[in-house]
């Protein structure tokens, strides 16, 4: 858990700032209930969600896939 702000509050602050509102966000979360994942995945600016625990060896591929980056 993040101290002070949770993921949705952090995303809201990023969206409120013109300097950061166009940055795609990938959230890492320990809250893996379908209702929790659906709630954060619907937030403006959230490109996707990765549930903890995650495999650090595949994390770059997961992030690239979420952001639609070509890995070729």
């Amino acid at each position: 858990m993040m101290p002070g702000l949770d993921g949705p509050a952090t995303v809201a602050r990023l969206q409120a700032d013109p300097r950061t509102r166009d940055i795609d966000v990938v959230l890492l979360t320990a809250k893996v209930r379908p209702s929790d994942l659906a709630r954060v995945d619907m937030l403006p600016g959230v490109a996707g969600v990765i549930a903890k625990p995650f495999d650090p060896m595949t994390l770059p591929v997961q992030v690239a896939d979420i952001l639609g980056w070509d890995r070729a």
Side-chain angles (χ1 to χ4, degrees):
M1 296 295 179
M2 293 184 350
L5 291 176
D6 63 4
T10 301
V11 170
R13 284 195 178 184
L14 290 169
Q15 288 295 302
D17 188 329
R19 297 170 298 169
T20 56
R21 77 169 45 126
D22 294 326
I23 297 172
D24 290 326
V25 174
V26 178
L27 295 176
L28 297 173
T29 184
K31 297 181 179 183
V32 294
R33 291 188 317 216
S35 60
D36 293 327
L37 292 176
R39 182 176 71 93
V40 295
D41 201 28
M42 299 280 295
L43 293 172
V46 174
V49 179
I50 297 174
K52 294 177 187 176
F54 56 88
D55 179 352
M57 298 304 292
T58 62
L59 183 61
V61 171
Q62 287 179 279
V63 171
D65 286 345
I66 288 171
L67 297 177
W69 293 348
D70 183 12
R71 293 179 278 131

